[in-house]
Amino acid sequence: MTKKDIIIGFVVGVIAAVFGLIFAIQIFGKSDNWGEVIQQAIASGTLTKLMSIGALLNLGAFFLFLKKNQDNRAKGVLIATLLIFIVTMIIKFFN
């Protein structure tokens, strides 16, 4: 069950980051249209900041899994967070 738990944690981490990005767009965006906010963020170079704020929800999922002694799921969340970090750095430095 180790691989299954890590995959579950990874999926939870990605979903949490997506919801966090949506929340960040809603809070910091100047429009109700998500596409328009993302285009403005890309144009102004703030998309990576929104992605980083969105990944903060992974912190809650990580510690929740640790509190419940589900270490392998916490590893999956950590892997998802590292993947989001790598994608964020790629976007930041190659855009």
Side-chain angles (χ1 to χ4, degrees):
M1 280 241 268
T2 304
K3 279 187 173 181
K4 182 180 177 184
D5 285 338
I6 291 174
I7 291 171
I8 290 171
F10 179 79
V11 170
V12 168
V14 170
I15 290 172
V18 168
F19 278 123
L21 178 63
I22 291 170
F23 290 144
I25 287 171
Q26 287 291 76
I27 292 171
F28 298 112
K30 296 182 180 171
S31 174
D32 289 336
N33 185 355
W34 292 350
E36 184 177 318
V37 172
I38 291 175
Q39 287 177 351
Q40 290 173 353
I42 291 170
S44 65
T46 58
L47 179 65
T48 55
K49 292 176 178 134
L50 289 175
M51 289 174 64
S52 298
I53 291 170
L56 285 176
L57 283 183
N58 284 355
L59 192 63
F62 179 76
F63 284 115
L64 179 70
F65 285 140
L66 283 182
K67 185 173 174 107
K68 291 185 173 186
N69 292 324
Q70 297 176 340
D71 294 338
N72 289 326
R73 290 185 183 190
K75 286 179 191 176
V77 174
L78 185 62
I79 291 168
T81 304
L82 289 174
L83 180 69
I84 292 166
F85 168 75
I86 291 168
V87 169
T88 303
M89 290 296 111
I90 289 171
I91 291 172
K92 183 168 183 75
F93 290 117
F94 292 113
N95 193 5

